Amino acid sequence: MRRAVIAAAVLTASVAVTLTPMTSSAAAPYKGANTAAVQDDFNGDGYRDLAVGAPNAANGSVEEAGAVAVLYGSKSSVSATRRTVITQATSGIPGDPEAWDEFGRTVASADLDRDGYADLIVGIPHESVGGVDARGMVTVVWGGPSGLRGGASIAPPAGFGKDRTYCRFGMSLATGDMNGDGAPELGVGSDCEASSYSGPFTRTGRAASQYRESRVNSRGVVMGDVNGDGKAERFYLAGPTTGDLRGPVHLDTGAPDPEDYSANWPADLPYADGHAGQIGDVNGDGYGDLVTGVADDDRTMNEAGAGHKGGEIQVLYGSAQGISAGQKPKVFHQDTAGVPGGAEWGDLFGQSLSVGDVNKDGYADVLIGSPDEAVGTRQRAGTAVLLRGSATGLTTAKAAGYTQDTTDVPGAVETGDAFGQAVHLADLNGDGRAETVVAAPTENNDGCLWIARGSASGPVLKGSVNLCGKSAGITVRGVKGYFGAALTSPHVEQ
């Protein structure tokens, strides 16, 4: 094994904003809010919704307090007018808007209280708690027939981050049903240690059970079913560590035993790497596949041994046996034949990724963000690349790259837009084909999203839209709002 020791991670990730509730037309919740098809359905109308973090949004005169805009799905997809904007000044939401809290730095969803409506989970990793700087907080906002309303804090397990500061609890979030009881589990990553919660949750934010996993670092958490048994597995991603800049990957095997520290020790996947990831069925065999991103290269890390020049993604294929320790991943980067673009130092290919079926062919596709890629002479303009799933796995056949210079993609390429810092594939209009969502959080002073509907041939560029933060209800003052810095698909939190 090439990893003998797991070391500490070396990288770092007054007036309320207008709240516009969206009333559902459904008489009863759409059952199955924890399934992949409708996991983000907060108002129970059968359409997935789009949660967009704007962590640098102002709240009145308070800079970088943060906000989350939720755009409600419909037959015509999402729009800026069908929305709810949530901040810590919103009635029923715990905490107070404070400068640099960055509410909405991460977002996720699941039906935590098992009432048939998805709930919004918001990470606030920079929140100071009890006088401890950047200890971090996680808030849940409850879904219901009128959309999102009311919330609670999810507290770290006992002993979390003892005598430490800057733990950044909530810097990654993942959900999945690990025991098959219909109530999702929640994994929370941080700079200190991983936290695990088993549902269902009460409306006070209390889980049925919880524990902290202090034996491995876990800046990133990934959950999904990779062995076809209907139960999610959980993978811990430490991020770059001393001696392993590409990032260790571990499979959770259960809670620590206070009587035997070595019992249920997370299993090392010695050939796998990744700083963030997501699970989806890329080859259509009924088993989830683990897709991870290693965006940092030797230049961005200032040290040899990081990801491929410009960044890379890896794919580990699931099976009836799951993902084994001896499995070697399939690696893709911009030097791989057929992948659009060219690998250049510091592109951050794999900074964000999302797994979903854009053309309803039964194979999940992978969208990859490369936010620091130059477009012509415009540095850090950013790009997104779509690789297609197939019966043989992820392929470069029909691969496509998108920038704001691509014909029919709205907007204009500008230096520093960071197009691709967050990406997302999700069926927002109920036609079975995932929309393509790409964020450019530093475009203008608020940040924007590009949204293209899916079709049998892939994303439809003609008629696609550019939706920006101010139109979606966020407030911007002297600091850019970073609308789109977080979507419910993963990104690497610096």
Side-chain angles (χ1 to χ4, degrees):
M1 286 188 174
R2 60 183 173 88
R3 299 187 182 110
V5 179
I6 304 302
V10 298
L11 259 191
T12 56
S14 64
V15 176
V17 174
T18 302
L19 178 66
T20 309
M22 187 66 219
T23 303
S24 168
S25 60
Y30 188 95
K31 298 300 181 183
N34 289 319
T35 66
V38 291
Q39 185 174 15
D40 305 327
D41 184 9
F42 302 117
N43 59 359
D45 64 355
Y47 295 100
R48 292 187 73 162
D49 308 314
L50 182 62
V52 186
N56 287 16
N59 196 289
S61 62
V62 181
E63 291 281 18
E64 296 188 48
V68 177
V70 174
L71 311 177
Y72 288 97
S74 70
K75 189 175 182 178
S76 57
S77 190
V78 296
S79 75
T81 58
R82 294 171 49 84
R83 70 172 191 257
T84 294
V85 180
I86 298 168
T87 76
Q88 287 183 296
T90 300
S91 177
I93 304 303
D96 297 298
E98 299 169 314
W100 311 297
D101 274 354
E102 298 191 355
F103 178 88
R105 175 55 67 177
T106 54
V107 291
S109 81
D111 181 9
L112 295 184
D113 59 354
R114 206 162 48 176
D115 67 348
Y117 299 95
D119 307 306
L120 174 67
I121 308 161
V122 182
I124 323 165
H126 293 169
E127 176 112 5
S128 295
V129 179
V132 179
D133 288 341
R135 179 174 174 82
M137 178 184 289
V138 171
T139 291
V140 56
V141 186
W142 305 110
S146 298
L148 292 157
R149 183 171 297 173
S153 294
I154 298 176
F160 172 84
K162 184 179 180 181
D163 300 324
R164 299 176 66 180
T165 58
Y166 300 100
C167 281
R168 297 198 296 170
F169 177 73
M171 69 184 301
S172 63
L173 304 164
T175 62
D177 184 3
M178 298 180 68
N179 56 14
D181 67 352
E185 276 61 58
L186 169 66
V188 181
S190 77
D191 267 333
C192 290
E193 50 207 327
S195 302
S196 172
Y197 303 82
S198 291
F201 287 69
T202 68
R203 283 289 177 117
T204 64
R206 183 179 179 85
S209 63
Q210 63 185 50
Y211 65 86
R212 62 189 177 97
E213 177 54 86
S214 60
R215 297 171 297 183
V216 296
N217 294 321
S218 182
R219 290 170 54 89
V221 186
V222 188
M223 296 175 70
D225 181 10
V226 298
N227 62 7
D229 66 354
K231 302 174 184 178
E233 282 71 49
R234 177 162 51 208
F235 297 85
Y236 295 128
L237 282 62
T241 66
T242 301
D244 191 353
L245 299 182
R246 300 168 69 85
V249 178
H250 290 89
L251 171 63
D252 179 19
T253 59
D257 184 342
E259 304 297 325
D260 182 0
Y261 189 68
S262 64
N264 299 330
W265 193 280
D268 182 29
L269 302 182
Y271 299 107
D273 310 285
H275 302 165
Q278 193 170 44
I279 291 170
D281 189 2
V282 173
N283 58 4
D285 64 355
Y287 304 105
D289 308 310
L290 174 63
V291 184
T292 61
V294 186
D296 283 297
D297 56 25
D298 293 359
R299 183 74 58 84
T300 59
M301 294 297 297
N302 295 314
E303 188 176 347
H308 184 86
K309 179 181 180 181
E312 66 184 67
I313 67 162
Q314 300 186 1
V315 185
L316 286 164
Y317 293 99
S319 69
Q321 292 74 45
I323 293 174
S324 69
Q327 187 174 345
K328 295 183 178 181
K330 179 70 174 177
V331 179
F332 296 84
H333 43 68
Q334 288 184 297
D335 279 337
T336 302
V339 174
E344 300 167 313
W345 292 113
D347 282 348
L348 297 184
F349 181 85
Q351 165 74 20
S352 59
L353 61 89
S354 188
V355 185
D357 187 357
V358 300
N359 58 356
K360 202 177 178 180
D361 65 354
Y363 305 107
D365 310 302
V366 180
L367 183 64
I368 307 117
S370 183
D372 276 15
E373 180 150 359
V375 179
T377 61
R378 290 149 297 190
Q379 300 296 312
R380 295 190 64 250
T383 187
V385 169
L386 181 67
L387 302 181
R388 300 299 188 91
S390 73
T392 58
L394 197 62
T395 176
T396 61
K398 299 182 180 180
Y402 308 100
T403 74
Q404 289 183 300
D405 260 357
T406 301
T407 301
D408 290 324
V409 173
V413 171
E414 298 168 308
T415 297
D417 278 352
F419 184 83
Q421 186 165 319
V423 298
H424 190 47
L425 294 175
D427 178 16
L428 304 172
N429 60 6
D431 67 355
R433 301 178 176 92
E435 272 68 53
T436 296
V437 183
V438 181
T442 48
E443 183 170 4
N444 305 327
N445 69 343
D446 51 351
C448 299
L449 296 178
W450 171 56
I451 305 173
R453 65 181 177 86
S455 74
S457 58
V460 179
L461 307 192
K462 194 171 185 63
S464 60
V465 300
N466 200 44
L467 192 157
C468 299
K470 289 181 180 177
S471 70
I474 73 162
T475 301
V476 178
R477 289 178 59 84
V479 178
K480 290 193 175 191
Y482 271 63
F483 176 77
L487 302 169
T488 52
S489 291
H491 65 278
V492 179
E493 178 62 24
Q494 301 293 343

